[in-house]
Amino acid sequence: MPKLRISAFILMFLALLGWSAAPAAAQSILRDAETEALLHDMATPLIKAAGLDPANVDIVLVNDSSVNAFVAGGQAVYVNAGLINEADTAAEVQGVIAHELGHVTGGHAVLNQGAKSATSVSLLSLLLGAAAAAAGGGEAAMGVIMAGQQAALGKYLAYSRSQEASADAAGAKYLSAAGISGRGSVEFFEKLQNLEYRYGYSQRDQNQFYSTHPLTSDRIATLQDTYEHDPAWNKPDDASLQKRFVRMKAKLYGYLAEPRDVFRKYPLTDNSVPAHYARAYAYNRESKLDDARAETEALIAIDPDDPYFLELQGQILLESGQPGEALVPLRRATQMTGNQPLIATLFGHALMATEDPANYKEAERVLRAAVVRDRENPFAWYQLGTIYAANGDMPRARLASAEQQVLSSNMNEALISAQAAEAGLATGSPDWLRAQDIEMQARAALERDKKRR
């Protein structure tokens, strides 16, 4: 799948273990190898139908419980976790992606004058939320975060009615060209309309989002009429994608929902793959590692060659303080996925966690390969810097730190690290040139911040 190129305003993510997010980005980006592969496979036929290159279009999962999706400039579609949770089928999400691709090809995010203010509101709310959480005010943090997200979306998604109609028409065209039924699209728009009725939203509301995104019966009827005349209307949904979607949805729910809600939805009597998946993550969040391991072992018993089950098994062993035992499943998962960068990073972390110098050379090789394929992976850079430092290669350790700090928006530290790396690297070498690039990037960012004050 293509490497994610995240927009600058939400680069504060941390590709850590399996599902991952930096503390400061708790409502930002969620990254998971299995989910990214599924979203890529769901979106690729639609992206091609839109005349775009799948290698240049990102489908990004956002850690936000609201039922929403949006585009944010360039060729990126952001899908909220809340939307995944609300959808029942992969086809429903494909309908949303097709609609958002209509905004991409229509240049609506680029033309949207609310984008700048939305970006700053979202960033500020995330930073304030992180500070509140660090101070122990978990509920206050959630309040700040959600208020910021609402303010951002209210401005960011202020598409005009003509833009919405244009995106509807384009989405229908892309679904048709991809041979995907529009039933899922209609079903999901009907869900959104039901949510509006449930929460009492109307076109008279002052909230910009709801006043500019009216999910009227006429709009849905127009879509249904369009889709019903399409040859793909009665085509069955892709069974393989649906099977993967159901288990991905359970995985996401297990990671994000309150454990008590997870166990209510997926009781112990449920021995399906999605149920084992959800409970494994819920137990892991509660630090009930023996129970989490039991759920993972049940998954392995169902399919011992599933790389994502092996990834989860390795993650839980690693978090149980058994990095040596984690190496076997993580090495297999890395090999079976062709060195998928997120899984390879976890494997490299396990190699380092053994604290056995005999494993460091392999860890360096694995992590170097991971950052080549996915440079926007702060945790991989952090681990790589640790290896360089252990080997006494301080200039490259400083360079790896600079890479990690830029991705975490720590520009002061990035500038210092980049300058230290330059001083120790061979002038004109590729690493020296990269250190220079980071130095200039950090200086420019700091200068922009200075002018805003």
Side-chain angles (χ1 to χ4, degrees):
M1 66 178 294
K3 175 174 71 69
L4 288 177
R5 288 163 299 283
I6 309 301
S7 295
F9 79 99
I10 42 180
L11 270 173
M12 305 186 308
F13 68 93
L14 181 59
L16 192 47
L17 310 178
W19 289 102
S20 52
Q27 296 296 307
S28 187
I29 300 301
L30 285 172
R31 297 202 63 191
D32 171 70
E34 180 178 14
T35 300
E36 289 182 6
L38 173 59
L39 290 174
H40 170 69
D41 291 345
M42 288 168 58
T44 291
L46 296 167
I47 294 168
K48 290 180 178 178
L52 302 172
D53 183 350
N56 295 328
V57 180
D58 304 321
I59 310 297
V60 184
L61 183 63
V62 182
N63 186 1
D64 191 309
S65 62
S66 60
V67 182
N68 217 340
F70 57 98
V71 295
Q75 296 183 8
V77 175
Y78 296 85
V79 179
N80 283 4
L83 187 147
I84 299 295
N85 188 54
E86 189 69 24
D88 291 316
T89 67
E92 290 181 13
V93 178
Q94 286 179 304
V96 172
I97 291 172
H99 174 88
E100 296 304 326
L101 287 171
H103 285 305
V104 172
T105 56
H108 299 163
V110 175
L111 296 172
N112 190 334
Q113 297 302 308
K116 184 175 181 180
S117 56
T119 302
S120 59
V121 171
S122 183
L123 255 183
L124 178 62
S125 68
L126 293 174
L127 292 173
L128 288 176
E139 292 183 5
M142 286 303 297
V144 172
I145 288 168
M146 294 310 295
Q149 289 292 333
Q150 274 194 332
L153 293 178
K155 294 177 181 177
Y156 206 109
L157 301 182
Y159 298 124
S160 70
R161 295 169 191 270
S162 63
Q163 286 174 334
E164 281 299 298
S166 171
D168 283 348
K173 177 182 175 183
Y174 303 152
L175 284 166
S176 176
I180 299 171
S181 173
R183 291 192 313 276
S185 177
V186 171
E187 289 166 2
F188 197 77
F189 275 121
E190 288 175 341
K191 284 183 179 179
L192 292 182
Q193 188 179 46
N194 288 336
L195 286 174
E196 285 191 357
Y197 292 152
R198 185 187 310 169
Y199 294 111
Y201 296 122
S202 75
Q203 295 180 51
R204 294 186 300 275
D205 288 336
Q206 295 300 310
N207 186 302
Q208 259 186 313
F209 174 74
Y210 295 103
S211 64
T212 56
H213 286 66
L215 290 170
T216 63
S217 298
D218 287 345
R219 181 180 171 193
I220 294 173
T222 299
L223 280 170
Q224 181 152 354
D225 182 67
T226 300
Y227 288 131
E228 285 180 346
H229 287 85
D230 185 80
W233 174 253
N234 292 315
K235 183 178 179 180
D237 293 342
D238 187 313
S240 176
L241 284 181
Q242 178 60 18
K243 182 178 179 180
R244 292 168 63 190
F245 176 77
V246 168
R247 88 180 218 181
M248 179 271 283
K249 179 178 174 178
K251 184 179 189 178
L252 179 62
Y253 190 78
Y255 181 77
L256 293 176
E258 289 295 327
R260 64 176 179 273
D261 295 329
V262 176
F263 300 133
R264 187 180 302 117
K265 186 171 184 176
Y266 298 98
L268 292 174
T269 53
D270 187 345
N271 290 312
S272 66
V273 166
H276 286 304
Y277 236 155
R279 292 196 300 262
Y281 277 95
Y283 280 131
N284 201 38
R285 289 178 61 205
E286 289 190 316
S287 298
K288 295 180 178 178
L289 299 178
D290 288 341
D291 291 327
R293 286 185 63 176
E295 296 291 351
T296 307
E297 287 166 3
L299 290 171
I300 297 291
I302 293 170
D303 187 351
D305 294 320
D306 188 300
Y308 303 117
F309 295 168
L310 293 167
E311 176 196 18
L312 180 57
Q313 182 184 47
Q315 175 183 338
I316 291 174
L317 286 168
L318 179 58
E319 294 181 4
S320 300
Q322 302 173 72
E325 290 185 35
L327 296 183
V328 172
L330 290 176
R331 182 179 281 110
R332 284 191 64 207
T334 300
Q335 292 169 345
M336 293 173 70
T337 56
N339 298 304
Q340 203 284 338
L342 294 177
I343 297 177
T345 297
L346 183 59
F347 177 40
H349 175 49
L351 287 164
M352 289 295 295
T354 64
E355 298 183 351
D356 183 352
N359 290 326
Y360 291 177
K361 186 174 182 179
E362 182 180 12
E364 179 177 347
R365 176 179 57 78
V366 168
L367 291 166
R368 283 177 65 90
V371 297
V372 166
R373 295 183 61 186
D374 184 356
R375 297 192 67 85
E376 292 169 347
N377 186 332
F379 191 65
W381 285 114
Y382 172 79
Q383 290 294 321
L384 196 53
T386 302
I387 295 172
Y388 287 142
N391 292 336
D393 188 348
M394 294 311 297
R396 285 181 176 78
R398 288 287 197 174
L399 178 57
S401 293
E403 296 275 12
Q404 179 261 323
Q405 289 153 355
V406 163
L407 292 173
S408 301
S409 297
N410 295 325
M411 292 304 179
N412 276 314
E413 291 83 354
L415 177 60
I416 294 168
S417 295
Q419 290 173 327
E422 282 183 68
L425 293 166
T427 302
S429 67
D431 285 340
W432 182 86
L433 292 171
R434 178 57 187 159
Q436 272 205 330
D437 288 344
I438 294 175
E439 180 185 357
M440 288 188 287
Q441 181 182 355
R443 285 187 185 280
L446 292 169
E447 188 60 30
R448 285 195 299 272
D449 288 344
K450 189 176 179 180
K451 288 179 179 178
R452 290 193 190 106
R453 294 192 187 103

PDB file of all heavy atoms in Angstrom, residues 402-434:
ATOM      1  N   ALA A 402      16.353  14.196  15.050  1.00  0.00           N
ATOM      2  CA  ALA A 402      15.803  15.346  14.333  1.00  0.00           C
ATOM      3  C   ALA A 402      14.596  14.936  13.497  1.00  0.00           C
ATOM      4  O   ALA A 402      13.586  15.652  13.451  1.00  0.00           O
ATOM      5  CB  ALA A 402      16.878  15.968  13.439  1.00  0.00           C
ATOM      6  N   GLU A 403      14.678  13.785  12.839  1.00  0.00           N
ATOM      7  CA  GLU A 403      13.543  13.281  12.052  1.00  0.00           C
ATOM      8  C   GLU A 403      12.331  13.074  12.960  1.00  0.00           C
ATOM      9  O   GLU A 403      11.210  13.487  12.626  1.00  0.00           O
ATOM     10  CB  GLU A 403      13.919  11.952  11.379  1.00  0.00           C
ATOM     11  CG  GLU A 403      15.042  12.017  10.357  1.00  0.00           C
ATOM     12  CD  GLU A 403      14.556  12.413   8.977  1.00  0.00           C
ATOM     13  OE1 GLU A 403      13.392  12.853   8.842  1.00  0.00           O
ATOM     14  OE2 GLU A 403      15.338  12.285   8.018  1.00  0.00           O
ATOM     15  N   GLN A 404      12.559  12.441  14.090  1.00  0.00           N
ATOM     16  CA  GLN A 404      11.471  12.160  15.031  1.00  0.00           C
ATOM     17  C   GLN A 404      10.874  13.451  15.577  1.00  0.00           C
ATOM     18  O   GLN A 404       9.656  13.608  15.705  1.00  0.00           O
ATOM     19  CB  GLN A 404      11.984  11.271  16.160  1.00  0.00           C
ATOM     20  CG  GLN A 404      10.939  10.924  17.217  1.00  0.00           C
ATOM     21  CD  GLN A 404      11.047  11.798  18.445  1.00  0.00           C
ATOM     22  OE1 GLN A 404      12.155  12.145  18.867  1.00  0.00           O
ATOM     23  NE2 GLN A 404       9.918  12.164  19.016  1.00  0.00           N
ATOM     24  N   GLN A 405      11.719  14.422  15.889  1.00  0.00           N
ATOM     25  CA  GLN A 405      11.249  15.670  16.486  1.00  0.00           C
ATOM     26  C   GLN A 405      10.455  16.515  15.499  1.00  0.00           C
ATOM     27  O   GLN A 405       9.474  17.170  15.879  1.00  0.00           O
ATOM     28  CB  GLN A 405      12.449  16.440  17.048  1.00  0.00           C
ATOM     29  CG  GLN A 405      13.028  15.784  18.301  1.00  0.00           C
ATOM     30  CD  GLN A 405      14.499  16.076  18.523  1.00  0.00           C
ATOM     31  OE1 GLN A 405      15.160  16.717  17.689  1.00  0.00           O
ATOM     32  NE2 GLN A 405      15.037  15.591  19.628  1.00  0.00           N
ATOM     33  N   VAL A 406      10.840  16.503  14.240  1.00  0.00           N
ATOM     34  CA  VAL A 406      10.072  17.230  13.220  1.00  0.00           C
ATOM     35  C   VAL A 406       8.668  16.651  13.122  1.00  0.00           C
ATOM     36  O   VAL A 406       7.673  17.377  13.085  1.00  0.00           O
ATOM     37  CB  VAL A 406      10.780  17.163  11.852  1.00  0.00           C
ATOM     38  CG1 VAL A 406       9.821  17.545  10.731  1.00  0.00           C
ATOM     39  CG2 VAL A 406      11.975  18.103  11.828  1.00  0.00           C
ATOM     40  N   LEU A 407       8.577  15.322  13.101  1.00  0.00           N
ATOM     41  CA  LEU A 407       7.276  14.672  12.980  1.00  0.00           C
ATOM     42  C   LEU A 407       6.412  14.901  14.218  1.00  0.00           C
ATOM     43  O   LEU A 407       5.189  14.829  14.146  1.00  0.00           O
ATOM     44  CB  LEU A 407       7.458  13.171  12.734  1.00  0.00           C
ATOM     45  CG  LEU A 407       8.054  12.807  11.379  1.00  0.00           C
ATOM     46  CD1 LEU A 407       8.344  11.316  11.299  1.00  0.00           C
ATOM     47  CD2 LEU A 407       7.120  13.221  10.253  1.00  0.00           C
ATOM     48  N   SER A 408       7.052  15.173  15.352  1.00  0.00           N
ATOM     49  CA  SER A 408       6.319  15.452  16.581  1.00  0.00           C
ATOM     50  C   SER A 408       6.123  16.946  16.801  1.00  0.00           C
ATOM     51  O   SER A 408       5.674  17.376  17.854  1.00  0.00           O
ATOM     52  CB  SER A 408       7.056  14.847  17.783  1.00  0.00           C
ATOM     53  OG  SER A 408       7.187  13.451  17.634  1.00  0.00           O
ATOM     54  N   SER A 409       6.494  17.753  15.793  1.00  0.00           N
ATOM     55  CA  SER A 409       6.346  19.209  15.824  1.00  0.00           C
ATOM     56  C   SER A 409       7.172  19.874  16.910  1.00  0.00           C
ATOM     57  O   SER A 409       6.838  20.958  17.378  1.00  0.00           O
ATOM     58  CB  SER A 409       4.865  19.592  15.974  1.00  0.00           C
ATOM     59  OG  SER A 409       4.132  19.158  14.858  1.00  0.00           O
ATOM     60  N   ASN A 410       8.260  19.236  17.334  1.00  0.00           N
ATOM     61  CA  ASN A 410       9.193  19.838  18.299  1.00  0.00           C
ATOM     62  C   ASN A 410      10.325  20.513  17.525  1.00  0.00           C
ATOM     63  O   ASN A 410      11.440  19.999  17.428  1.00  0.00           O
ATOM     64  CB  ASN A 410       9.753  18.754  19.236  1.00  0.00           C
ATOM     65  CG  ASN A 410       8.684  18.134  20.097  1.00  0.00           C
ATOM     66  OD1 ASN A 410       7.758  18.804  20.519  1.00  0.00           O
ATOM     67  ND2 ASN A 410       8.807  16.843  20.350  1.00  0.00           N
ATOM     68  N   MET A 411      10.014  21.682  16.957  1.00  0.00           N
ATOM     69  CA  MET A 411      10.942  22.297  16.015  1.00  0.00           C
ATOM     70  C   MET A 411      12.207  22.843  16.678  1.00  0.00           C
ATOM     71  O   MET A 411      13.275  22.839  16.067  1.00  0.00           O
ATOM     72  CB  MET A 411      10.221  23.396  15.230  1.00  0.00           C
ATOM     73  CG  MET A 411       9.160  22.862  14.301  1.00  0.00           C
ATOM     74  SD  MET A 411       9.816  21.628  13.128  1.00  0.00           S
ATOM     75  CE  MET A 411       8.327  21.203  12.228  1.00  0.00           C
ATOM     76  N   ASN A 412      12.112  23.345  17.909  1.00  0.00           N
ATOM     77  CA  ASN A 412      13.319  23.806  18.597  1.00  0.00           C
ATOM     78  C   ASN A 412      14.321  22.666  18.746  1.00  0.00           C
ATOM     79  O   ASN A 412      15.514  22.808  18.444  1.00  0.00           O
ATOM     80  CB  ASN A 412      12.960  24.380  19.971  1.00  0.00           C
ATOM     81  CG  ASN A 412      12.526  25.831  19.894  1.00  0.00           C
ATOM     82  OD1 ASN A 412      13.165  26.642  19.227  1.00  0.00           O
ATOM     83  ND2 ASN A 412      11.441  26.151  20.555  1.00  0.00           N
ATOM     84  N   GLU A 413      13.818  21.507  19.235  1.00  0.00           N
ATOM     85  CA  GLU A 413      14.691  20.355  19.424  1.00  0.00           C
ATOM     86  C   GLU A 413      15.192  19.820  18.089  1.00  0.00           C
ATOM     87  O   GLU A 413      16.343  19.396  17.975  1.00  0.00           O
ATOM     88  CB  GLU A 413      13.943  19.251  20.179  1.00  0.00           C
ATOM     89  CG  GLU A 413      13.636  19.572  21.631  1.00  0.00           C
ATOM     90  CD  GLU A 413      12.369  20.410  21.794  1.00  0.00           C
ATOM     91  OE1 GLU A 413      11.803  20.839  20.775  1.00  0.00           O
ATOM     92  OE2 GLU A 413      11.962  20.636  22.957  1.00  0.00           O
ATOM     93  N   ALA A 414      14.323  19.853  17.076  1.00  0.00           N
ATOM     94  CA  ALA A 414      14.726  19.379  15.756  1.00  0.00           C
ATOM     95  C   ALA A 414      15.873  20.217  15.201  1.00  0.00           C
ATOM     96  O   ALA A 414      16.825  19.685  14.602  1.00  0.00           O
ATOM     97  CB  ALA A 414      13.545  19.405  14.796  1.00  0.00           C
ATOM     98  N   LEU A 415      15.800  21.536  15.404  1.00  0.00           N
ATOM     99  CA  LEU A 415      16.859  22.428  14.930  1.00  0.00           C
ATOM    100  C   LEU A 415      18.178  22.102  15.619  1.00  0.00           C
ATOM    101  O   LEU A 415      19.233  21.982  14.960  1.00  0.00           O
ATOM    102  CB  LEU A 415      16.461  23.876  15.191  1.00  0.00           C
ATOM    103  CG  LEU A 415      17.490  24.947  14.817  1.00  0.00           C
ATOM    104  CD1 LEU A 415      17.822  24.875  13.330  1.00  0.00           C
ATOM    105  CD2 LEU A 415      16.978  26.332  15.196  1.00  0.00           C
ATOM    106  N   ILE A 416      18.134  21.927  16.936  1.00  0.00           N
ATOM    107  CA  ILE A 416      19.358  21.615  17.689  1.00  0.00           C
ATOM    108  C   ILE A 416      19.949  20.278  17.248  1.00  0.00           C
ATOM    109  O   ILE A 416      21.159  20.152  17.024  1.00  0.00           O
ATOM    110  CB  ILE A 416      19.063  21.607  19.199  1.00  0.00           C
ATOM    111  CG1 ILE A 416      18.681  23.020  19.668  1.00  0.00           C
ATOM    112  CG2 ILE A 416      20.251  21.090  19.989  1.00  0.00           C
ATOM    113  CD1 ILE A 416      18.104  23.062  21.064  1.00  0.00           C
ATOM    114  N   SER A 417      19.099  19.269  17.093  1.00  0.00           N
ATOM    115  CA  SER A 417      19.564  17.941  16.700  1.00  0.00           C
ATOM    116  C   SER A 417      20.135  17.947  15.294  1.00  0.00           C
ATOM    117  O   SER A 417      21.158  17.312  15.019  1.00  0.00           O
ATOM    118  CB  SER A 417      18.424  16.923  16.797  1.00  0.00           C
ATOM    119  OG  SER A 417      17.991  16.757  18.123  1.00  0.00           O
ATOM    120  N   ALA A 418      19.476  18.661  14.380  1.00  0.00           N
ATOM    121  CA  ALA A 418      19.948  18.718  13.002  1.00  0.00           C
ATOM    122  C   ALA A 418      21.315  19.397  12.923  1.00  0.00           C
ATOM    123  O   ALA A 418      22.212  18.951  12.192  1.00  0.00           O
ATOM    124  CB  ALA A 418      18.936  19.453  12.136  1.00  0.00           C
ATOM    125  N   GLN A 419      21.491  20.482  13.675  1.00  0.00           N
ATOM    126  CA  GLN A 419      22.789  21.169  13.675  1.00  0.00           C
ATOM    127  C   GLN A 419      23.882  20.279  14.250  1.00  0.00           C
ATOM    128  O   GLN A 419      25.007  20.243  13.726  1.00  0.00           O
ATOM    129  CB  GLN A 419      22.677  22.466  14.481  1.00  0.00           C
ATOM    130  CG  GLN A 419      21.830  23.532  13.802  1.00  0.00           C
ATOM    131  CD  GLN A 419      21.590  24.741  14.690  1.00  0.00           C
ATOM    132  OE1 GLN A 419      21.497  24.627  15.919  1.00  0.00           O
ATOM    133  NE2 GLN A 419      21.486  25.916  14.082  1.00  0.00           N
ATOM    134  N   ALA A 420      23.565  19.534  15.316  1.00  0.00           N
ATOM    135  CA  ALA A 420      24.548  18.621  15.899  1.00  0.00           C
ATOM    136  C   ALA A 420      24.905  17.511  14.916  1.00  0.00           C
ATOM    137  O   ALA A 420      26.061  17.088  14.832  1.00  0.00           O
ATOM    138  CB  ALA A 420      24.002  18.026  17.198  1.00  0.00           C
ATOM    139  N   ALA A 421      23.906  17.021  14.166  1.00  0.00           N
ATOM    140  CA  ALA A 421      24.163  15.977  13.179  1.00  0.00           C
ATOM    141  C   ALA A 421      25.069  16.498  12.065  1.00  0.00           C
ATOM    142  O   ALA A 421      26.030  15.827  11.668  1.00  0.00           O
ATOM    143  CB  ALA A 421      22.850  15.475  12.597  1.00  0.00           C
ATOM    144  N   GLU A 422      24.760  17.692  11.566  1.00  0.00           N
ATOM    145  CA  GLU A 422      25.578  18.290  10.509  1.00  0.00           C
ATOM    146  C   GLU A 422      27.046  18.386  10.926  1.00  0.00           C
ATOM    147  O   GLU A 422      27.962  18.125  10.132  1.00  0.00           O
ATOM    148  CB  GLU A 422      25.078  19.688  10.173  1.00  0.00           C
ATOM    149  CG  GLU A 422      23.847  19.730   9.304  1.00  0.00           C
ATOM    150  CD  GLU A 422      23.466  21.160   8.974  1.00  0.00           C
ATOM    151  OE1 GLU A 422      24.221  21.819   8.224  1.00  0.00           O
ATOM    152  OE2 GLU A 422      22.421  21.621   9.490  1.00  0.00           O
ATOM    153  N   ALA A 423      27.275  18.772  12.174  1.00  0.00           N
ATOM    154  CA  ALA A 423      28.650  18.975  12.652  1.00  0.00           C
ATOM    155  C   ALA A 423      29.468  17.681  12.619  1.00  0.00           C
ATOM    156  O   ALA A 423      30.689  17.733  12.480  1.00  0.00           O
ATOM    157  CB  ALA A 423      28.619  19.541  14.068  1.00  0.00           C
ATOM    158  N   GLY A 424      28.782  16.520  12.747  1.00  0.00           N
ATOM    159  CA  GLY A 424      29.517  15.266  12.808  1.00  0.00           C
ATOM    160  C   GLY A 424      29.481  14.440  11.551  1.00  0.00           C
ATOM    161  O   GLY A 424      30.169  13.407  11.454  1.00  0.00           O
ATOM    162  N   LEU A 425      28.676  14.826  10.564  1.00  0.00           N
ATOM    163  CA  LEU A 425      28.543  14.053   9.331  1.00  0.00           C
ATOM    164  C   LEU A 425      29.472  14.589   8.250  1.00  0.00           C
ATOM    165  O   LEU A 425      29.854  15.772   8.266  1.00  0.00           O
ATOM    166  CB  LEU A 425      27.092  14.101   8.838  1.00  0.00           C
ATOM    167  CG  LEU A 425      26.057  13.393   9.725  1.00  0.00           C
ATOM    168  CD1 LEU A 425      24.644  13.807   9.326  1.00  0.00           C
ATOM    169  CD2 LEU A 425      26.217  11.877   9.620  1.00  0.00           C
ATOM    170  N   ALA A 426      29.804  13.716   7.310  1.00  0.00           N
ATOM    171  CA  ALA A 426      30.682  14.115   6.208  1.00  0.00           C
ATOM    172  C   ALA A 426      29.972  15.148   5.338  1.00  0.00           C
ATOM    173  O   ALA A 426      28.858  14.903   4.866  1.00  0.00           O
ATOM    174  CB  ALA A 426      31.072  12.900   5.379  1.00  0.00           C
ATOM    175  N   THR A 427      30.626  16.297   5.128  1.00  0.00           N
ATOM    176  CA  THR A 427      30.032  17.363   4.332  1.00  0.00           C
ATOM    177  C   THR A 427      29.688  16.863   2.931  1.00  0.00           C
ATOM    178  O   THR A 427      30.516  16.246   2.259  1.00  0.00           O
ATOM    179  CB  THR A 427      31.000  18.553   4.223  1.00  0.00           C
ATOM    180  OG1 THR A 427      31.309  19.010   5.548  1.00  0.00           O
ATOM    181  CG2 THR A 427      30.386  19.683   3.421  1.00  0.00           C
ATOM    182  N   GLY A 428      28.464  17.126   2.507  1.00  0.00           N
ATOM    183  CA  GLY A 428      28.038  16.725   1.175  1.00  0.00           C
ATOM    184  C   GLY A 428      27.448  15.331   1.091  1.00  0.00           C
ATOM    185  O   GLY A 428      26.900  14.961   0.041  1.00  0.00           O
ATOM    186  N   SER A 429      27.524  14.557   2.179  1.00  0.00           N
ATOM    187  CA  SER A 429      26.961  13.198   2.165  1.00  0.00           C
ATOM    188  C   SER A 429      25.437  13.280   2.192  1.00  0.00           C
ATOM    189  O   SER A 429      24.862  14.302   2.587  1.00  0.00           O
ATOM    190  CB  SER A 429      27.458  12.409   3.366  1.00  0.00           C
ATOM    191  OG  SER A 429      26.933  12.960   4.575  1.00  0.00           O
ATOM    192  N   PRO A 430      24.731  12.208   1.770  1.00  0.00           N
ATOM    193  CA  PRO A 430      23.262  12.248   1.791  1.00  0.00           C
ATOM    194  C   PRO A 430      22.700  12.560   3.183  1.00  0.00           C
ATOM    195  O   PRO A 430      21.733  13.330   3.295  1.00  0.00           O
ATOM    196  CB  PRO A 430      22.877  10.833   1.344  1.00  0.00           C
ATOM    197  CG  PRO A 430      24.014  10.392   0.472  1.00  0.00           C
ATOM    198  CD  PRO A 430      25.230  10.977   1.119  1.00  0.00           C
ATOM    199  N   ASP A 431      23.298  11.993   4.232  1.00  0.00           N
ATOM    200  CA  ASP A 431      22.798  12.267   5.587  1.00  0.00           C
ATOM    201  C   ASP A 431      23.043  13.724   5.973  1.00  0.00           C
ATOM    202  O   ASP A 431      22.205  14.344   6.639  1.00  0.00           O
ATOM    203  CB  ASP A 431      23.470  11.326   6.599  1.00  0.00           C
ATOM    204  CG  ASP A 431      22.914   9.908   6.529  1.00  0.00           C
ATOM    205  OD1 ASP A 431      21.795   9.732   6.009  1.00  0.00           O
ATOM    206  OD2 ASP A 431      23.604   8.983   6.994  1.00  0.00           O
ATOM    207  N   TRP A 432      24.171  14.270   5.585  1.00  0.00           N
ATOM    208  CA  TRP A 432      24.484  15.682   5.875  1.00  0.00           C
ATOM    209  C   TRP A 432      23.482  16.586   5.166  1.00  0.00           C
ATOM    210  O   TRP A 432      22.975  17.558   5.759  1.00  0.00           O
ATOM    211  CB  TRP A 432      25.902  15.996   5.419  1.00  0.00           C
ATOM    212  CG  TRP A 432      26.365  17.395   5.692  1.00  0.00           C
ATOM    213  CD1 TRP A 432      26.929  17.878   6.846  1.00  0.00           C
ATOM    214  CD2 TRP A 432      26.337  18.508   4.775  1.00  0.00           C
ATOM    215  NE1 TRP A 432      27.236  19.211   6.724  1.00  0.00           N
ATOM    216  CE2 TRP A 432      26.885  19.631   5.456  1.00  0.00           C
ATOM    217  CE3 TRP A 432      25.906  18.664   3.467  1.00  0.00           C
ATOM    218  CZ2 TRP A 432      27.001  20.875   4.846  1.00  0.00           C
ATOM    219  CZ3 TRP A 432      26.018  19.912   2.869  1.00  0.00           C
ATOM    220  CH2 TRP A 432      26.568  20.998   3.559  1.00  0.00           C
ATOM    221  N   LEU A 433      23.153  16.269   3.910  1.00  0.00           N
ATOM    222  CA  LEU A 433      22.180  17.054   3.160  1.00  0.00           C
ATOM    223  C   LEU A 433      20.790  16.959   3.804  1.00  0.00           C
ATOM    224  O   LEU A 433      20.051  17.951   3.871  1.00  0.00           O
ATOM    225  CB  LEU A 433      22.122  16.579   1.700  1.00  0.00           C
ATOM    226  CG  LEU A 433      23.374  16.853   0.867  1.00  0.00           C
ATOM    227  CD1 LEU A 433      23.278  16.152  -0.481  1.00  0.00           C
ATOM    228  CD2 LEU A 433      23.575  18.357   0.664  1.00  0.00           C
ATOM    229  N   ARG A 434      20.454  15.765   4.303  1.00  0.00           N
ATOM    230  CA  ARG A 434      19.166  15.610   4.962  1.00  0.00           C
ATOM    231  C   ARG A 434      19.120  16.434   6.244  1.00  0.00           C
ATOM    232  O   ARG A 434      18.106  17.065   6.561  1.00  0.00           O
ATOM    233  CB  ARG A 434      18.910  14.128   5.275  1.00  0.00           C
ATOM    234  CG  ARG A 434      17.605  13.863   6.017  1.00  0.00           C
ATOM    235  CD  ARG A 434      16.396  14.380   5.272  1.00  0.00           C
ATOM    236  NE  ARG A 434      15.179  14.268   6.070  1.00  0.00           N
ATOM    237  CZ  ARG A 434      14.078  14.983   5.868  1.00  0.00           C
ATOM    238  NH1 ARG A 434      14.042  15.890   4.893  1.00  0.00           N
ATOM    239  NH2 ARG A 434      13.015  14.817   6.637  1.00  0.00           N
TER     240      ARG A 434
END
